[in-house]
Amino acid sequence: MAKILHLAFEHEWAAAKAAGAYRMSTRGVSLDDGATFIHASRPEQVGGTANRFYADVEEPLLLLVIDTERLVSALCDEDVDGRGTTFPHIYGPLNLDAVVDVLAYERGPDGRWPELAAQAVS
């Protein structure tokens, strides 16, 4: 079972559970706003993503642990910046039963979002 991660705010995850599907693409943008996919990361990419796009966020985040075999929407690995590094993208809503765990994600003692190893979500 392959697992990918999505960074989420607690209130967004609560809204998704109430609505029956998760529709946030990335920070502040949803599929309802015209985004075409939900951004995700492999475990070793999460720290870099969080430190780049959530550097100013003070509140703890959640890591939605997604079992890719349970996804209803299409999953594609894509090179977003032309540098040869691919990220997983979910093209459509995230079905809640594909989320197999929700982990608290907090800054480390140095003030940065921590790096994760693949084993952290296995």
Side-chain angles (χ1 to χ4, degrees):
M1 153 180 41
K3 293 180 184 172
I4 58 174
L5 301 164
H6 175 78
L7 291 161
F9 290 102
E10 191 171 323
H11 68 276
E12 293 170 347
W13 178 238
K17 290 191 295 184
Y22 185 87
R23 302 182 58 81
M24 292 304 297
S25 171
T26 189
R27 182 179 178 185
V29 181
S30 77
L31 298 177
D32 300 325
D33 298 324
T36 56
F37 59 84
I38 295 172
H39 291 264
S41 299
R42 286 179 282 286
E44 64 275 11
Q45 296 172 317
V46 168
T49 299
N51 285 304
R52 183 172 178 190
F53 298 105
Y54 295 81
D56 64 332
V57 172
E58 303 268 335
E59 66 190 276
L61 296 170
L62 297 177
L63 290 173
L64 306 184
V65 181
I66 302 162
D67 178 347
T68 61
E69 295 174 10
R70 294 184 181 192
L71 285 172
V72 174
S73 296
L75 176 67
C76 297
D77 259 356
E78 297 178 306
D79 182 352
V80 294
D81 59 9
R83 296 182 184 176
T85 302
T86 63
F87 286 83
H89 295 154
I90 302 166
Y91 278 84
L94 171 57
N95 48 303
L96 300 183
D97 62 331
V99 179
V100 295
D101 204 358
V102 178
L103 306 172
Y105 187 55
E106 298 181 13
R107 291 181 182 277
D110 62 357
R112 293 181 51 79
W113 297 103
E115 299 295 330
L116 297 179
Q119 300 82 1
V121 296
S122 57

